[in-house]
Amino acid sequence: MTKAVADVTGPGQAPRRRWRDNKKLDQWIAFWTVPVFFSLFGLAFVPLSWMMPPRSPGASQAEITDFMQSQNLLVACVILTLAFGMAPVSNACYLNQIRRMSVSPVLRYSLMAGATTGAIVGMVFAMFCFGLGAFRTGYDPEILAMLYDFGYLAFIGSLGCFCIMWMAFGLAIILDKNNILPKWLGYYTVWQYVTELMAAPVWIAKSGPFAWNGLMTFWFAMLLYVPWQFIVYVCIYRAIKNQPEEELDNFHLVNAARTEANA
C-alpha cells in the first residue's frame, strides 16, 4: 500500500509541515484578500469609471448627465458587487489582533460597528447611486443630479463613522500592554483620522478647499491616508507572523482532539 502523503526529511531534521498544516493559514488567507479588495476597489472607482478623484459639485447639468449615464459605471458596480464581501474579511485582520491586546472588548466592538456602518455609507450607497443613474436611460436631469450629489456626499461626507472606527483602533494600540502593534502606530492612527473631520464642511461648501473635491477635504486627506494604510498592513503582517501558535484557537482545538484520541 502506498502512502498518500510523505514528508521526506533528512536525518536529524524536523518533519516538514505541509502548507495546509500551517495553523495561521486562515489568517494569511484573510490578510491577502486585503490587497485584492483594494485593487478591485481602486479599479472600479478610478480608471474604469473615474468616480474618483471626485468630480466638481459645481459641474453643469450636461456634465452630470454625461457622467451618470456612462456604461462604465455599470461595469464598475459589477466589480464592486463581487469585491464587497472582501471588506469584512479585511477588517477581521484588525479585529483578530485587537483581541490579543490587553484592552476592553468595547474597542473591538466599536471598530466592528464602525466598519459595518462605513461600508454601507462609504461604498454601498455610492455604488447604488452611481449605478442607478446609469442603469436606465431617460431619467430626468434633476434626478441624475440628486443621485450625483447623494453618491458623493455619502462617499466623502460620511467619514465620521471611520473616525470613530479608527480612533478605537488607535486607542487600543496605545492602551495595550502586550505590545501587539507598535505604539507609534497608535498615535499615527489617532492623528491621521482626526484629519478626517475636515470632511464635515462638504455639506456646506460647494467650491473651494472644503468642497467634496477640495484641497483640504479630499486631497490632503488622501495624502495622509494612503501611506498610513500601507504602514498599517505592514504592521499587521508582522503581528500575524510573530503571533505564537499557542495563542491560536485552532492550536488548542487540535491538541484537545489529539488528547481525546489518545485517551
Side-chain angles (χ1 to χ4, degrees), residues 121 130 146-159 199 201-205 212:
V121 298
F130 293 126
M146 183 187 69
L147 293 172
Y148 178 84
D149 291 343
F150 188 3
Y152 275 123
L153 287 173
F155 188 85
I156 300 175
S158 58
L159 293 177
V202 302
W203 293 93
I204 302 171
W212 71 47

Side-chain angles (χ1 to χ4, degrees), residues 20-263:
R20 62 184 181 183
D21 292 331
N22 187 338
K23 293 181 175 58
K24 297 180 185 178
L25 179 61
D26 49 355
Q27 286 198 74
W28 289 124
I29 292 174
F31 176 83
W32 288 114
T33 62
V34 176
V36 175
F37 167 70
F38 276 102
S39 296
L40 294 174
F41 187 84
L43 174 66
F45 270 89
V46 183
L48 184 58
S49 66
W50 291 111
M51 287 184 273
M52 295 292 155
R55 295 162 183 265
S56 172
S60 67
Q61 188 64 67
E63 291 173 328
I64 293 175
T65 301
D66 183 63
F67 166 66
M68 293 295 291
Q69 295 279 277
S70 170
Q71 292 300 302
N72 284 351
L73 286 176
L74 295 179
V75 179
C77 287
V78 171
I79 294 175
L80 290 175
T81 299
L82 296 173
F84 178 66
M86 296 183 185
V89 177
S90 63
N91 290 321
C93 294
Y94 299 102
L95 295 169
N96 195 53
Q97 295 307 314
I98 294 178
R99 193 178 68 160
R100 300 175 57 204
M101 299 178 183
S102 61
V103 294
S104 169
V106 69
L107 295 177
R108 187 168 77 249
Y109 297 149
S110 297
L111 191 149
M112 186 185 305
T116 303
T117 306
I120 294 172
V121 298
M123 181 176 174
V124 175
F125 280 7
M127 179 183 72
F128 274 99
C129 286
F130 293 126
L132 182 60
F135 181 71
R136 192 187 305 277
T137 59
Y139 280 125
D140 291 338
E142 292 79 8
I143 294 177
L144 293 176
M146 183 187 69
L147 293 172
Y148 178 84
D149 291 343
F150 188 3
Y152 275 123
L153 287 173
F155 188 85
I156 300 175
S158 58
L159 293 177
C161 56
F162 292 103
C163 289
I164 299 302
M165 169 185 174
W166 296 120
M167 284 286 285
F169 182 58
L171 286 175
I173 298 173
I174 294 171
L175 298 176
D176 175 39
K177 296 180 180 179
N178 295 335
N179 296 318
I180 303 300
L181 294 171
K183 298 296 182 187
W184 59 262
L185 179 63
Y187 292 107
Y188 183 13
T189 300
V190 171
W191 175 80
Q192 141 71 16
Y193 274 88
V194 166
T195 64
E196 298 287 356
L197 297 176
M198 288 188 294
V202 302
W203 293 93
I204 302 171
K206 295 182 177 63
S207 62
F210 291 103
W212 71 47
N213 66 332
L215 177 64
M216 298 300 294
T217 301
F218 180 77
W219 292 105
F220 181 65
M222 288 296 102
L223 180 65
L224 296 176
Y225 171 78
V226 173
W228 172 86
Q229 189 73 84
F230 279 104
I231 291 170
V232 167
Y233 286 137
V234 171
C235 291
I236 292 291
Y237 172 84
R238 292 176 177 174
I240 296 174
K241 184 178 180 181
N242 295 331
Q243 182 177 4
E245 287 193 352
E246 291 77 10
E247 289 185 11
L248 302 174
D249 293 337
N250 53 350
F251 177 84
H252 298 289
L253 291 174
V254 170
N255 283 349
R258 288 174 178 173
T259 302
E260 184 178 349
N262 294 331

